[in-house]
Amino acid sequence: LYLLDIYTCVWTLTRSLPVKKSCEMPKNKPSGGGGWGVSGTDWSDTGTFVRKPSSGWLHSETDLNDGAYVKYRLTYLGCVMITESMRALQYQARTLITREAIIRLAEHSEKIQPLKRKKIPKQISRLLGDVNIRWATEINLCIDVDQLLIYSAASGREIMNHSLTSISFASGGEGPTQDFVGYVAKDPLNDRSCHVFYCPPSTAQLVLATIGQAFELRYKMYLNSSQQPQHHPQSQ
């Protein structure tokens, strides 16, 4: 299972870190070597955070910091509205919601044939709203310690910008949708939605691992900033 759960103290604490305001493309860094794998046992399913893979993170810290980013060429399929906050939901429920959003967009975009599957529970289906289809837009997903930037691969125009603090959950698909990734984020245009991407073969786990690394690095930055000595002006 390739899962990323960010409803934790990590998500809360790192909100205090400054976020870059500029939407300009930062320095480009290669997206990492092909053939890297991330074992499913390296991912936490306790609702805490993603663990560092036993083989190590895919990228150096400098690839995700100081204006650098990691880029993946993906296909953006669109998003599915999430009608309520998932904060109070169990981990399994959040996974089911995200994977159902992946299936719906994969079917709508005709990336897969309609699946024969069990009817999802009402408490899950009621949280899934309208499907907003982008009709398979080729994009570059740029990941750094501040945000996920989505750019049109054709024009270079920014499509969306999600700060890490706006992202609450991410998951890969399974079975027929194993090459898909979805993450839940909130923004002024789409409100709270699950954004779904189709990945080249064997790339979905790399994308999720890179997002996980970005969150861990941001958390380390928070810890370092909180340990800096506080200087108070002396009274005259």
Side-chain angles (χ1 to χ4, degrees), residues 20 26-27 29 62-70 143-145:
K20 287 185 293 189
K27 295 183 295 181
K29 288 283 185 177
T62 56
D63 287 342
L64 294 163
N65 203 356
D66 295 327
Y69 64 89
V70 173
I143 304 168
D144 66 18
V145 295

Side-chain angles (χ1 to χ4, degrees), residues 4 6-7 11 15 76 78-86 97-98 101 141 146-150 160-171 182-197 211 215:
L4 177 62
I6 310 141
Y7 272 131
W11 182 87
R15 290 176 66 87
Y76 180 58
C79 62
V80 178
M81 292 284 293
I82 307 297
T83 59
E84 297 178 19
S85 171
M86 300 201 298
I97 290 170
T98 307
L141 176 65
D146 293 309
Q147 57 208 338
L148 304 188
L149 294 168
I150 303 174
M160 272 180 292
N161 176 348
H162 292 128
S163 68
L164 293 196
T165 57
S166 73
I167 301 170
S168 57
F169 194 82
S171 173
Y183 69 78
V184 178
K186 194 171 183 180
D187 63 55
L189 178 61
N190 300 290
D191 199 20
R192 182 184 296 104
S193 297
C194 181
H195 299 270
V196 177
F197 305 82
I211 296 173
F215 269 93

